[in-house]
Amino acid sequence: MAPWNFSTTFARLASSPDAPVFKWKHQYQLPTQPYCLKVRGTDRSPGAHFEIGTDTQGHRVLFSDESTVSIEYTARVNDLGAWSPLAIQVLIKMMASKIAKPLTGQNSLAQQKLQEAMAFLPEAKGSDGREGSPYVLRANRTLVHARRRSGGSLWR
């Protein structure tokens, strides 16, 4: 539903020993630990193209013309302790929408829970997007020097 920070993972892909059957020069095995749900992008230029498919043994692979590839991907995270609290709330509401109809027989309750999840999603995505290292404000050197020259006060 979103590129959650807790599920963002990076990996350098191992080249597959088999040559691609069609169109591409190289194929790479997608990560299984943690499992790759969705490739968000590669370390190559934005114009670099790739395709997700399966090899002759049925394994998921990434096809590309690049000789080496590192990816950013959404990983399957089974440990709910790693999830952000608001993402868990969205998950709970989504699960409630899935089981509401079979349990109650009311389609309206399922729709209500789905609407609650969708209404909660922007707040959860915003909270998740604010995670990470905060921006550190730096002192303006011009003002600091001016204050020192004037004895500590700018308004003398």
Side-chain angles (χ1 to χ4, degrees):
M1 295 182 77
W4 304 105
N5 285 333
F6 65 84
S7 66
T8 299
T9 306
F10 302 90
R12 177 172 295 282
L13 299 184
S15 181
S16 176
D18 300 328
V21 176
F22 176 74
K23 182 179 169 183
W24 302 97
K25 293 180 184 175
H26 305 281
Q27 72 181 22
Y28 301 92
Q29 298 171 349
L30 287 173
T32 56
Q33 290 297 328
Y35 184 80
C36 175
L37 293 173
K38 179 180 182 179
V39 175
R40 293 191 207 157
T42 69
D43 61 340
R44 301 296 174 194
S45 64
H49 298 288
F50 64 90
E51 185 177 328
I52 306 299
T54 55
D55 63 9
T56 55
Q57 289 84 30
H59 300 113
R60 292 179 64 230
V61 293
L62 180 140
F63 297 105
S64 175
D65 288 334
E66 303 295 330
S67 59
T68 62
V69 175
S70 293
I71 61 169
E72 175 183 356
Y73 70 97
T74 300
R76 177 180 289 145
V77 179
N78 295 326
D79 176 16
L80 288 181
W83 286 47
S84 65
L86 294 177
I88 291 174
Q89 291 299 316
V90 172
L91 174 66
I92 289 168
K93 292 179 186 312
M94 289 297 296
M95 289 172 62
S97 75
K98 297 285 185 193
I99 63 172
K101 170 114 181 177
L103 287 177
T104 66
Q106 298 177 2
N107 196 32
S108 61
L109 185 59
Q111 289 297 324
Q112 176 189 353
K113 294 301 175 190
L114 181 61
Q115 288 173 351
E116 287 176 12
M118 292 299 106
F120 209 94
L121 187 59
E123 182 180 351
K125 287 168 57 176
S127 173
D128 189 70
R130 290 186 294 274
E131 288 182 350
S133 301
Y135 180 73
V136 178
L137 295 175
R138 305 277 184 225
N140 185 322
R141 292 185 158 273
T142 305
L143 290 176
V144 171
H145 290 303
R147 180 182 288 162
R148 286 186 185 144
R149 283 193 301 269
S150 64
S153 173
L154 290 175
W155 309 108
R156 207 171 223 201

